[in-house]
Amino acid sequence: MTGKPLKDYFVEKDMPALRSPLVHPFSNFDVPHLLGIHAAARPDHPFLIWEPFEGEARTWSYARFEHEVKQVAAGLKKRGVKKGERVLIHLDNCPESIIAWYACAHLGAVAVTTNARSVEDDLVYFSEHAEVVGAITQPCFAALVATACKHIKWLAVTETDNGAAPEEKNRPPKSESFAALYGDIADVPMRAPEPMLPVGVQYTSGTTSRPKGVVWTHANALWGGKVCAMHEDLRASDVHLTYLPLFHTNAQSYSVLAALWVGATVVLQPRFSASRFWPISQKHGCTWTSMVPFCLRALMSQDLPKSHSYRYWGNGISSPPTDNHFGIKTIGWWGMTETITHGIVGDIHLPNRPMSIGKPSPAYEIAILDDNGASVAPGETGNLLVRGVPGLSLFLEYLNNPEATANTYDDQGYFVTGDRVTLGEDGFISFADRDKDMLKVGGENVAASEIERVVMTVPGIQECAVVAKRDPMLDEVPVVFVLVPGGEAAAPKDLAAQIAAACAKGLADFKRPRDIRIVDALPRSTLDKIAKAELRKIVNGD
């Protein structure tokens, strides 16, 4: 490198500050080639086992899975999908969701995975913002997707609703069935590897009024698979139970891609079921799964089997008190859609401080800064920042939003997460809180501004503010304060009903306020801003 500026060893993307290295762990490699390696080396080993709540269980070996991925890729190509074009995948957990994602990857297209609980307004935004050319969905969502995605050229609909027989009115015609996508694999030969080619988009809530589309490259996906597998100590003999939604990073990266990286097995369920958790885990000898607090609490009410095969669980905290009850070591972790994998993680082989999220992953640079930009001392709480390589260890960009992409990095190239953490004297890190305008509702990130935008469409409201109320099962639920001159006495008698109706139409169910409070004044802070901290104290009785 003598005599040559460091910047010349990088390939610039959209912004001078964001660069991807010419040589990295996935040079001349991408997602289809990873799948192809395992399909050739262990063709008969089970990759995907589907355990629906209705209907029969099904198993795909690595060879069968790769073959069907290629068949669907051929069908996408026949429908005119080209490399770089985006395809909407709007599905609850089902085998078709995974097959479609990897089919897009094989073809060089980009899978846009969206929350299956989205309403029409969400889907209009997702489809138009991502400029999707086609959509894959299931019978119960088909009419919604067809109505919302006005510019798509084709629609493919699965034959069941995650294993359950659809209502007769929702059955797709044969020409629009997912089965009709299956084509001739000779039409889709393996592409040359393109690790920096976009492979997926996930929409994630931020503090702005609309979610941002987080773009992953093939290198991002491979990074997630490899690093997650290392953090989780995954092996080819592992069986990873997956019930968290496949449109989220946890299931896509922590579970499926991680299992694929080592050639392990994924057991997929439509969603979490406390009553089915242990029977399915024992049936398949499951050794790994991701937990969230809601699921852990639900399992505490279930009878514990005399034996099981779990080696580890992953969760937002290390070594919770429930580990003694279940006899399983839990690894804490922290990550975001933008970080692909865990930026902070507990150690598999060494003890972790209980209730911590772990220590910085060797794969990232972590900074914890006070509000003046100085590093915090042990024992102090500060803002969490992460530095990596865009397109490799960090997301490539926010889709069609260069300004948001640029604004999310500081002058030193650190990604500003919006989370606050506490640095312990022992080096372990504990989660403190998130950006105060972000709520965590049953594992789903919800921006207060998304809810406020919909509430303000109701006539007669001067201002509104959404805050989080603590909830024993969902962690947090939204509560909205609505400012009306004269307060509740002067407001229309049906104002709360109007607000509820607007939210039912414009917001997914988990985003809807659980309580609507009509007031004649709101507490204020500096510059006349609404003092949401005071509102949080009111709803939580602090």
Side-chain angles (χ1 to χ4, degrees):
M1 292 176 60
T2 56
K4 192 173 184 180
L6 182 61
K7 66 180 180 65
D8 290 345
Y9 286 83
F10 293 82
V11 177
E12 296 194 3
K13 281 297 297 175
D14 297 321
M15 300 161 42
L18 305 182
R19 302 182 179 96
S20 299
L22 287 171
V23 180
H24 53 77
F26 312 110
S27 296
N28 199 38
F29 199 44
D30 61 8
V31 171
H33 286 79
L34 172 62
L35 177 58
I37 286 172
H38 289 306
R42 46 191 355 222
D44 299 325
H45 188 79
F47 169 57
L48 177 62
I49 299 173
W50 170 231
E51 280 286 356
F53 296 167
E54 297 181 47
E56 295 183 1
R58 299 172 62 193
T59 298
W60 283 259
S61 67
Y62 270 92
R64 180 186 171 194
F65 181 79
E66 186 196 35
H67 186 78
E68 291 199 19
V69 161
K70 290 179 179 179
Q71 286 180 303
V72 173
L76 295 176
K77 182 178 180 180
K78 189 173 182 179
R79 280 158 179 74
V81 179
K82 299 178 177 61
K83 185 171 77 172
E85 290 188 325
R86 290 180 281 272
V87 175
L88 185 79
I89 300 177
H90 187 71
L91 292 165
D92 280 318
N93 282 8
C94 59
E96 293 91 341
S97 180
I98 301 180
I99 292 168
W101 196 94
Y102 284 86
C104 287
H106 183 88
L107 191 61
V110 184
V112 180
T113 51
T114 50
N115 193 321
R117 296 162 75 178
S118 300
V119 295
E120 182 177 342
D121 183 63
D122 296 323
L123 284 169
V124 170
Y125 169 69
F126 296 149
S127 64
E128 293 184 357
H129 181 259
E131 301 172 292
V132 297
V133 297
I136 298 171
T137 191
Q138 62 197 70
C140 64
F141 301 141
L144 172 64
V145 172
T147 300
C149 305
K150 295 180 173 61
H151 304 296
I152 58 175
K153 300 174 183 176
W154 53 269
L155 178 67
V157 183
T158 61
E159 294 183 13
T160 69
D161 283 308
N162 319 108
E167 294 184 32
E168 193 61 37
K169 65 179 182 179
N170 294 333
R171 289 185 184 276
K174 284 188 177 181
S175 60
E176 288 187 359
S177 70
F178 186 81
L181 278 179
Y182 282 62
D184 185 349
I185 66 172
D187 295 338
V188 283
M190 187 74 84
R191 296 178 298 103
E194 295 180 88
M196 288 300 160
L197 184 71
V199 70
V201 174
Q202 296 176 55
Y203 279 90
T204 182
S205 292
T207 53
T208 54
S209 62
R210 282 296 197 181
K212 297 188 288 289
V214 180
V215 180
W216 285 6
T217 65
H218 282 253
N220 282 144
L222 296 174
W223 176 275
K226 179 170 182 141
V227 176
C228 283
M230 290 193 299
H231 287 166
E232 298 169 21
D233 189 36
L234 284 185
R235 307 159 188 175
S237 56
D238 274 313
V239 181
H240 207 305
L241 180 64
T242 303
Y243 50 78
L244 295 177
L246 286 165
F247 49 79
H248 277 182
T249 297
N250 188 302
Q252 279 191 24
S253 182
Y254 300 9
S255 299
V256 178
L257 280 163
L260 175 62
W261 183 263
V262 297
T265 300
V266 173
V267 175
L268 180 68
Q269 292 182 289
R271 59 186 178 277
F272 175 75
S273 169
S275 63
R276 295 176 176 88
F277 181 86
W278 288 115
I280 293 300
S281 296
Q282 290 183 296
K283 176 182 178 181
H284 297 291
C286 296
T287 58
W288 239 106
T289 196
S290 290
M291 279 285 164
V292 294
F294 169 83
C295 300
L296 198 61
R297 286 192 288 267
L299 284 179
M300 288 297 291
S301 64
Q302 299 293 311
D303 291 336
L304 190 65
K306 292 181 180 179
S307 63
H308 58 72
S309 301
Y310 280 107
R311 297 197 295 122
Y312 302 104
W313 286 352
N315 201 339
I317 50 174
S318 293
S319 307
T322 49
D323 276 8
N324 290 331
H325 173 77
F326 293 111
I328 301 169
K329 180 176 179 176
T330 296
I331 308 304
W333 52 39
W334 170 93
M336 301 175 67
T337 310
E338 289 89 341
T339 65
I340 324 300
T341 178
H342 328 107
I344 300 170
V345 65
D347 197 288
I348 285 283
H349 305 292
L350 301 176
N352 299 297
R353 173 156 56 81
M355 309 305 287
S356 74
I357 55 178
K359 293 184 177 182
S361 163
Y364 296 89
E365 293 180 75
I366 299 294
I368 307 173
L369 307 179
D370 63 22
D371 291 338
N372 296 317
S375 296
V376 302
E380 294 182 344
T381 298
N383 303 303
L384 176 62
L385 288 78
V386 180
R387 188 158 65 182
V389 180
L392 181 62
S393 54
L394 293 176
F395 73 114
L396 179 67
E397 63 187 357
Y398 291 124
L399 182 66
N400 299 327
N401 199 340
E403 182 178 0
T405 306
N407 289 342
T408 200
Y409 289 89
D410 73 0
D411 293 341
Q412 302 301 313
Y414 279 89
F415 173 73
V416 181
T417 70
D419 287 340
R420 290 172 58 80
V421 296
T422 301
L423 177 63
E425 299 279 351
D426 55 5
F428 282 96
I429 298 169
S430 299
F431 188 81
D433 53 41
R434 64 190 57 83
D435 186 295
K436 292 299 185 181
D437 263 0
M438 288 296 297
L439 292 73
K440 196 77 167 181
V441 183
E444 299 277 5
N445 288 320
V446 178
S449 57
E450 286 188 74
I451 305 172
E452 291 163 354
R453 175 182 61 83
V454 173
V455 171
M456 288 304 296
T457 64
V458 178
I461 299 173
Q462 190 174 89
E463 208 170 357
C464 74
V466 171
V467 295
K469 179 181 180 180
R470 290 190 291 271
D471 184 87
M473 288 303 290
L474 299 176
D475 292 335
E476 294 176 337
V477 294
V479 173
V480 62
F481 288 81
V482 178
L483 177 60
V484 175
E488 192 167 12
K493 293 190 185 325
D494 66 342
L495 181 60
Q498 290 184 52
I499 294 169
C503 291
K505 180 181 179 181
L507 296 169
D509 54 1
F510 62 92
K511 298 179 182 179
R512 297 168 194 166
R514 304 307 196 272
D515 189 10
I516 299 169
R517 304 192 183 190
I518 301 170
V519 297
D520 60 358
L522 290 167
R524 302 287 173 173
S525 59
T526 309
L527 301 177
D528 204 39
K529 290 183 177 180
I530 298 172
K532 288 193 173 183
E534 296 302 315
L535 297 179
R536 291 186 195 95
K537 290 179 183 178
I538 293 171
V539 299
N540 291 298
D542 295 339

Coordinates of all heavy atoms in Angstrom, one line a residue, residues 31-94:
V31 N -25.2 -15.7 -2.4 CA -26.2 -16.6 -1.7 C -26.4 -17.8 -2.5 O -26.4 -18.9 -1.9 CB -27.5 -15.8 -1.4 CG1 -28.6 -16.8 -0.9 CG2 -27.2 -14.7 -0.3
P32 N -26.7 -17.8 -3.8 CA -27.0 -19.0 -4.6 C -25.8 -20.0 -4.5 O -26.0 -21.2 -4.5 CB -27.2 -18.5 -6.0 CG -27.7 -17.1 -5.9 CD -26.9 -16.6 -4.7
H33 N -24.6 -19.4 -4.5 CA -23.4 -20.3 -4.5 C -23.3 -21.0 -3.1 O -22.8 -22.2 -3.0 CB -22.2 -19.6 -4.8 CG -22.1 -19.2 -6.3 ND1 -22.8 -18.2 -6.8 CD2 -21.4 -19.8 -7.3 CE1 -22.6 -18.1 -8.1 NE2 -21.7 -19.1 -8.5
L34 N -23.6 -20.3 -2.0 CA -23.6 -21.0 -0.7 C -24.6 -22.1 -0.7 O -24.3 -23.3 -0.3 CB -24.0 -20.0 0.4 CG -24.2 -20.5 1.8 CD1 -23.0 -21.2 2.3 CD2 -24.7 -19.5 2.7
L35 N -25.8 -21.9 -1.2 CA -26.9 -23.0 -1.2 C -26.4 -24.1 -2.1 O -26.5 -25.3 -1.7 CB -28.2 -22.4 -1.7 CG -29.3 -23.4 -1.9 CD1 -29.6 -24.1 -0.6 CD2 -30.6 -22.7 -2.5
G36 N -25.8 -23.8 -3.2 CA -25.3 -24.8 -4.1 C -24.2 -25.7 -3.5 O -24.2 -26.9 -3.8
I37 N -23.4 -25.1 -2.7 CA -22.3 -25.9 -2.0 C -22.9 -27.0 -1.2 O -22.6 -28.2 -1.2 CB -21.4 -25.0 -1.2 CG1 -20.5 -24.2 -2.2 CG2 -20.6 -25.8 -0.2 CD1 -19.6 -23.2 -1.5
H38 N -23.9 -26.6 -0.3 CA -24.5 -27.6 0.6 C -25.4 -28.6 -0.2 O -25.5 -29.8 0.2 CB -25.4 -26.9 1.6 CG -24.6 -26.2 2.6 ND1 -23.6 -26.8 3.4 CD2 -24.6 -24.8 3.0 CE1 -23.0 -25.9 4.2 NE2 -23.6 -24.7 4.0
A39 N -26.1 -28.1 -1.2 CA -26.9 -29.1 -2.0 C -26.1 -30.1 -2.7 O -26.5 -31.3 -2.9 CB -27.7 -28.3 -3.1
A40 N -24.8 -29.8 -3.1 CA -23.9 -30.8 -3.7 C -23.3 -31.7 -2.6 O -23.1 -32.9 -2.8 CB -22.9 -30.0 -4.5
A41 N -22.9 -31.1 -1.5 CA -22.1 -31.8 -0.5 C -23.0 -32.7 0.4 O -22.6 -33.8 0.8 CB -21.4 -30.8 0.4
R42 N -24.2 -32.3 0.7 CA -25.1 -33.1 1.5 C -26.5 -33.0 1.0 O -27.4 -32.4 1.6 CB -25.0 -32.7 3.0 CG -25.1 -31.2 3.2 CD -24.7 -30.7 4.6 NE -24.5 -31.8 5.6 CZ -24.9 -31.7 6.8 NH1 -25.6 -30.7 7.3 NH2 -24.7 -32.7 7.7
P43 N -26.8 -33.5 -0.2 CA -28.1 -33.4 -0.9 C -29.3 -33.9 -0.1 O -30.3 -33.3 -0.2 CB -27.9 -34.1 -2.2 CG -26.8 -35.1 -1.9 CD -25.8 -34.4 -1.0
D44 N -29.1 -34.9 0.7 CA -30.2 -35.6 1.3 C -30.4 -35.1 2.8 O -31.4 -35.4 3.4 CB -30.0 -37.1 1.4 CG -29.9 -37.7 0.0 OD1 -30.6 -37.2 -0.9 OD2 -29.1 -38.7 -0.2
H45 N -29.6 -34.2 3.3 CA -29.7 -33.7 4.6 C -30.9 -32.7 4.6 O -31.0 -31.9 3.8 CB -28.5 -33.0 5.1 CG -28.5 -32.6 6.5 ND1 -28.2 -33.5 7.5 CD2 -28.7 -31.4 7.2 CE1 -28.3 -32.9 8.7 NE2 -28.6 -31.6 8.5
P46 N -31.8 -32.8 5.6 CA -32.9 -31.9 5.7 C -32.5 -30.4 5.9 O -31.7 -30.2 6.9 CB -33.8 -32.4 6.8 CG -32.8 -33.2 7.7 CD -31.8 -33.8 6.7
F47 N -32.9 -29.5 5.1 CA -32.7 -28.1 5.3 C -33.9 -27.4 5.9 O -33.8 -26.7 6.9 CB -32.3 -27.4 4.0 CG -32.3 -25.9 4.1 CD1 -31.5 -25.3 5.0 CD2 -33.1 -25.1 3.3 CE1 -31.5 -23.9 5.2 CE2 -33.2 -23.7 3.4 CZ -32.3 -23.1 4.4
L48 N -35.1 -27.7 5.4 CA -36.3 -27.0 5.8 C -37.4 -28.0 6.2 O -37.7 -28.9 5.3 CB -36.8 -26.1 4.7 CG -38.1 -25.3 5.0 CD1 -38.0 -24.4 6.2 CD2 -38.6 -24.6 3.8
I49 N -37.9 -28.0 7.4 CA -39.0 -28.8 7.8 C -40.1 -27.9 8.2 O -40.0 -27.0 9.0 CB -38.6 -29.7 9.1 CG1 -37.4 -30.6 8.7 CG2 -39.8 -30.4 9.6 CD1 -36.9 -31.4 9.9
W50 N -41.3 -28.0 7.6 CA -42.4 -27.2 7.8 C -43.4 -27.9 8.7 O -43.9 -29.0 8.4 CB -43.1 -26.9 6.4 CG -44.4 -26.2 6.4 CD1 -45.5 -26.7 5.7 CD2 -44.8 -25.0 7.0 NE1 -46.6 -25.8 5.8 CE2 -46.2 -24.8 6.7 CE3 -44.2 -24.1 7.8 CZ2 -46.9 -23.6 7.1 CZ3 -44.9 -23.0 8.3 CH2 -46.2 -22.7 7.9
E51 N -43.7 -27.2 9.8 CA -44.7 -27.7 10.8 C -45.9 -26.8 10.9 O -45.9 -25.9 11.8 CB -44.0 -27.9 12.1 CG -43.1 -29.1 12.3 CD -44.0 -30.4 12.4 OE1 -45.2 -30.3 12.5 OE2 -43.4 -31.5 12.4
P52 N -46.9 -26.9 10.0 CA -48.0 -26.0 10.0 C -48.9 -26.4 11.2 O -48.9 -27.5 11.8 CB -48.7 -26.3 8.7 CG -48.4 -27.7 8.4 CD -47.0 -27.9 8.9
F53 N -49.8 -25.5 11.6 CA -50.8 -25.8 12.6 C -52.0 -26.6 12.0 O -52.7 -27.3 12.8 CB -51.3 -24.5 13.2 CG -50.3 -23.7 13.9 CD1 -50.6 -22.3 14.3 CD2 -49.1 -24.2 14.2 CE1 -49.6 -21.6 15.0 CE2 -48.1 -23.4 14.9 CZ -48.4 -22.1 15.3
E54 N -52.2 -26.5 10.7 CA -53.1 -27.3 10.0 C -52.4 -27.9 8.8 O -51.6 -27.3 8.2 CB -54.3 -26.5 9.6 CG -55.2 -25.9 10.7 CD -56.3 -25.1 10.2 OE1 -57.1 -25.6 9.3 OE2 -56.5 -24.0 10.6
G55 N -52.8 -29.1 8.4 CA -52.2 -29.7 7.3 C -51.0 -30.6 7.7 O -50.6 -30.6 8.9
E56 N -50.3 -31.2 6.7 CA -49.3 -32.1 7.0 C -47.9 -31.4 7.0 O -47.7 -30.5 6.3 CB -49.2 -33.2 5.9 CG -50.5 -34.1 5.9 CD -50.3 -35.2 4.9 OE1 -49.3 -35.3 4.2 OE2 -51.3 -36.0 4.8
A57 N -47.0 -32.0 7.9 CA -45.6 -31.5 7.9 C -44.9 -31.9 6.6 O -45.3 -32.9 6.0 CB -44.9 -32.1 9.1
R58 N -44.0 -31.1 6.1 CA -43.2 -31.4 4.9 C -41.7 -31.1 5.2 O -41.4 -30.3 6.0 CB -43.7 -30.5 3.8 CG -45.2 -30.7 3.4 CD -45.7 -29.7 2.4 NE -44.9 -29.8 1.1 CZ -45.0 -28.9 0.2 NH1 -45.7 -27.8 0.3 NH2 -44.3 -29.1 -1.0
T59 N -40.9 -31.8 4.4 CA -39.5 -31.7 4.5 C -38.8 -31.4 3.2 O -39.2 -32.1 2.2 CB -38.9 -32.9 5.2 OG1 -39.4 -33.1 6.5 CG2 -37.3 -32.8 5.3
W60 N -37.9 -30.5 3.1 CA -37.1 -30.2 1.9 C -35.6 -30.6 2.3 O -35.1 -30.0 3.2 CB -37.2 -28.8 1.5 CG -38.4 -28.4 0.8 CD1 -38.6 -28.2 -0.5 CD2 -39.7 -28.1 1.4 NE1 -39.9 -27.8 -0.8 CE2 -40.6 -27.7 0.4 CE3 -40.1 -28.0 2.7 CZ2 -41.9 -27.4 0.6 CZ3 -41.5 -27.7 3.0 CH2 -42.3 -27.4 1.9
S61 N -35.1 -31.5 1.6 CA -33.6 -31.7 1.7 C -32.9 -30.5 1.0 O -33.5 -29.7 0.3 CB -33.2 -33.0 1.0 OG -33.4 -32.9 -0.4
Y62 N -31.6 -30.5 1.2 CA -30.9 -29.4 0.6 C -31.0 -29.4 -0.9 O -31.2 -28.4 -1.6 CB -29.4 -29.4 1.0 CG -29.1 -28.6 2.2 CD1 -29.2 -29.2 3.5 CD2 -28.8 -27.2 2.1 CE1 -29.0 -28.4 4.6 CE2 -28.6 -26.5 3.3 CZ -28.7 -27.0 4.5 OH -28.5 -26.3 5.6
A63 N -30.9 -30.6 -1.5 CA -31.0 -30.8 -3.0 C -32.4 -30.4 -3.5 O -32.6 -29.7 -4.5 CB -30.7 -32.2 -3.4
R64 N -33.4 -30.9 -2.8 CA -34.8 -30.6 -3.2 C -35.1 -29.1 -3.1 O -35.7 -28.5 -3.9 CB -35.8 -31.4 -2.4 CG -37.3 -31.1 -2.8 CD -38.3 -31.7 -1.8 NE -39.6 -31.3 -2.1 CZ -40.6 -31.5 -1.3 NH1 -40.5 -32.2 -0.2 NH2 -41.8 -31.0 -1.6
F65 N -34.6 -28.5 -2.0 CA -34.8 -27.0 -1.8 C -34.2 -26.2 -2.9 O -34.8 -25.3 -3.5 CB -34.3 -26.6 -0.4 CG -34.5 -25.2 -0.1 CD1 -35.8 -24.7 0.3 CD2 -33.5 -24.2 -0.3 CE1 -36.0 -23.4 0.6 CE2 -33.7 -22.9 0.0 CZ -35.0 -22.4 0.4
E66 N -32.9 -26.6 -3.2 CA -32.3 -25.8 -4.3 C -33.0 -26.0 -5.6 O -33.1 -25.0 -6.4 CB -30.8 -26.3 -4.4 CG -30.0 -25.4 -5.4 CD -28.7 -26.0 -5.9 OE1 -28.7 -27.2 -6.0 OE2 -27.8 -25.2 -6.1
H67 N -33.5 -27.2 -5.9 CA -34.2 -27.5 -7.1 C -35.4 -26.6 -7.2 O -35.7 -26.0 -8.3 CB -34.5 -29.0 -7.2 CG -35.1 -29.3 -8.5 ND1 -34.3 -29.5 -9.7 CD2 -36.4 -29.6 -8.9 CE1 -35.1 -29.8 -10.7 NE2 -36.4 -29.9 -10.3
E68 N -36.2 -26.5 -6.1 CA -37.4 -25.8 -6.2 C -37.1 -24.3 -6.2 O -37.9 -23.5 -6.9 CB -38.3 -26.1 -5.0 CG -38.9 -27.5 -5.0 CD -40.1 -27.7 -4.1 OE1 -40.7 -26.7 -3.7 OE2 -40.4 -28.9 -3.8
V69 N -36.1 -23.8 -5.6 CA -35.6 -22.4 -5.7 C -35.4 -22.1 -7.2 O -35.8 -21.0 -7.7 CB -34.4 -22.2 -4.8 CG1 -33.7 -20.9 -5.3 CG2 -34.8 -22.1 -3.4
K70 N -34.7 -23.0 -7.9 CA -34.4 -22.7 -9.3 C -35.6 -22.7 -10.1 O -35.8 -22.0 -11.1 CB -33.4 -23.8 -9.8 CG -32.0 -23.6 -9.2 CD -31.1 -24.7 -9.7 CE -29.6 -24.6 -9.2 NZ -28.8 -25.6 -9.7
Q71 N -36.6 -23.6 -9.8 CA -37.8 -23.7 -10.5 C -38.6 -22.4 -10.4 O -39.1 -21.9 -11.4 CB -38.7 -24.9 -10.0 CG -38.2 -26.2 -10.5 CD -39.1 -27.3 -9.9 OE1 -39.3 -27.5 -8.7 NE2 -39.6 -28.2 -10.9
V72 N -38.7 -21.9 -9.2 CA -39.4 -20.6 -9.0 C -38.6 -19.4 -9.6 O -39.2 -18.5 -10.2 CB -39.6 -20.4 -7.5 CG1 -40.2 -19.0 -7.2 CG2 -40.6 -21.5 -6.9
A73 N -37.3 -19.5 -9.5 CA -36.5 -18.5 -10.2 C -36.8 -18.5 -11.7 O -37.0 -17.4 -12.4 CB -35.0 -18.7 -10.0
A74 N -37.0 -19.6 -12.3 CA -37.4 -19.7 -13.7 C -38.7 -19.1 -14.0 O -39.0 -18.5 -15.0 CB -37.3 -21.2 -14.2
G75 N -39.7 -19.4 -13.0 CA -41.0 -18.8 -13.2 C -41.0 -17.3 -13.1 O -41.7 -16.6 -13.8
L76 N -40.1 -16.7 -12.2 CA -40.0 -15.3 -12.1 C -39.4 -14.7 -13.4 O -39.9 -13.7 -13.9 CB -39.1 -14.9 -10.9 CG -39.6 -15.3 -9.5 CD1 -38.5 -15.0 -8.5 CD2 -40.9 -14.6 -9.2
K77 N -38.5 -15.4 -13.9 CA -37.8 -14.9 -15.2 C -38.9 -15.0 -16.3 O -38.9 -14.0 -17.1 CB -36.7 -15.8 -15.5 CG -35.9 -15.4 -16.8 CD -34.7 -16.3 -17.1 CE -34.0 -15.8 -18.3 NZ -32.8 -16.7 -18.6
K78 N -39.7 -16.0 -16.4 CA -40.7 -16.1 -17.4 C -41.7 -15.0 -17.3 O -42.3 -14.5 -18.3 CB -41.4 -17.4 -17.3 CG -42.4 -17.7 -18.5 CD -42.9 -19.2 -18.4 CE -43.8 -19.5 -19.6 NZ -44.3 -20.9 -19.5
R79 N -41.9 -14.5 -16.1 CA -42.9 -13.3 -15.9 C -42.2 -12.0 -16.1 O -42.8 -10.9 -15.9 CB -43.5 -13.4 -14.5 CG -44.6 -14.4 -14.4 CD -44.9 -14.9 -13.0 NE -46.1 -15.8 -13.0 CZ -46.0 -17.0 -13.5 NH1 -44.9 -17.5 -14.0 NH2 -47.1 -17.8 -13.5
G80 N -41.0 -12.0 -16.6 CA -40.3 -10.8 -17.0 C -39.4 -10.2 -15.9 O -38.9 -9.1 -16.1
V81 N -39.2 -10.8 -14.8 CA -38.4 -10.2 -13.7 C -37.0 -10.3 -14.1 O -36.4 -11.3 -14.5 CB -38.6 -11.0 -12.4 CG1 -37.8 -10.4 -11.3 CG2 -40.1 -11.0 -11.9
K82 N -36.3 -9.1 -14.0 CA -34.9 -9.0 -14.4 C -34.0 -8.7 -13.2 O -34.5 -8.4 -12.1 CB -34.8 -7.8 -15.4 CG -35.6 -8.0 -16.7 CD -35.4 -6.7 -17.6 CE -36.1 -6.9 -18.9 NZ -37.6 -7.1 -18.7
K83 N -32.8 -8.9 -13.4 CA -31.8 -8.7 -12.3 C -31.9 -7.3 -11.8 O -32.0 -6.3 -12.6 CB -30.4 -9.0 -12.8 CG -29.3 -8.9 -11.7 CD -27.9 -9.3 -12.2 CE -27.3 -8.2 -13.0 NZ -25.9 -8.6 -13.3
G84 N -32.0 -7.2 -10.5 CA -32.1 -5.8 -9.9 C -33.5 -5.4 -9.6 O -33.7 -4.4 -8.9
E85 N -34.5 -6.0 -10.3 CA -35.9 -5.6 -10.0 C -36.4 -6.2 -8.7 O -35.8 -7.2 -8.2 CB -36.8 -6.1 -11.2 CG -36.5 -5.3 -12.5 CD -37.5 -5.6 -13.6 OE1 -37.9 -6.8 -13.7 OE2 -37.8 -4.7 -14.4
R86 N -37.4 -5.6 -8.2 CA -37.8 -5.9 -6.8 C -39.2 -6.6 -6.9 O -40.1 -6.2 -7.6 CB -37.9 -4.7 -5.9 CG -36.5 -4.2 -5.6 CD -36.5 -2.9 -4.7 NE -36.8 -1.7 -5.5 CZ -35.9 -0.9 -6.1 NH1 -34.7 -1.3 -6.0 NH2 -36.3 0.1 -6.7
V87 N -39.3 -7.7 -6.0 CA -40.5 -8.5 -5.9 C -41.0 -8.4 -4.5 O -40.3 -8.7 -3.5 CB -40.2 -9.9 -6.3 CG1 -41.4 -10.8 -6.1 CG2 -39.8 -10.0 -7.8
L88 N -42.3 -8.1 -4.3 CA -42.9 -8.1 -3.0 C -43.2 -9.5 -2.5 O -43.8 -10.2 -3.2 CB -44.2 -7.2 -3.0 CG -44.9 -7.0 -1.7 CD1 -44.2 -5.9 -0.9 CD2 -46.3 -6.7 -1.9
I89 N -42.8 -9.8 -1.3 CA -43.2 -11.1 -0.6 C -44.0 -10.7 0.6 O -43.4 -10.3 1.6 CB -41.9 -11.9 -0.3 CG1 -41.1 -12.3 -1.6 CG2 -42.3 -13.2 0.4 CD1 -39.8 -13.0 -1.3
H90 N -45.3 -10.9 0.5 CA -46.2 -10.5 1.6 C -46.8 -11.8 2.1 O -47.9 -12.1 1.7 CB -47.2 -9.5 1.1 CG -48.0 -8.9 2.2 ND1 -47.5 -8.0 3.1 CD2 -49.3 -9.1 2.5 CE1 -48.5 -7.7 4.0 NE2 -49.6 -8.3 3.6
L91 N -46.2 -12.4 3.0 CA -46.6 -13.7 3.5 C -46.4 -13.8 5.0 O -45.4 -13.3 5.6 CB -45.8 -14.8 2.8 CG -46.0 -15.1 1.4 CD1 -44.9 -15.9 0.8 CD2 -47.4 -15.7 1.1
D92 N -47.3 -14.6 5.7 CA -46.9 -15.1 7.0 C -45.9 -16.2 6.8 O -45.6 -16.6 5.7 CB -48.2 -15.7 7.7 CG -49.1 -14.6 8.3 OD1 -48.6 -13.7 8.9 OD2 -50.3 -14.7 8.1
N93 N -45.4 -16.7 7.9 CA -44.4 -17.8 7.8 C -44.9 -19.0 7.1 O -46.0 -19.5 7.4 CB -43.9 -18.2 9.2 CG -42.9 -17.3 9.8 OD1 -42.7 -16.2 9.3 ND2 -42.4 -17.7 11.0
C94 N -44.2 -19.4 6.0 CA -44.6 -20.6 5.3 C -43.4 -20.9 4.4 O -42.5 -20.1 4.2 CB -45.8 -20.3 4.4 SG -45.6 -18.9 3.2

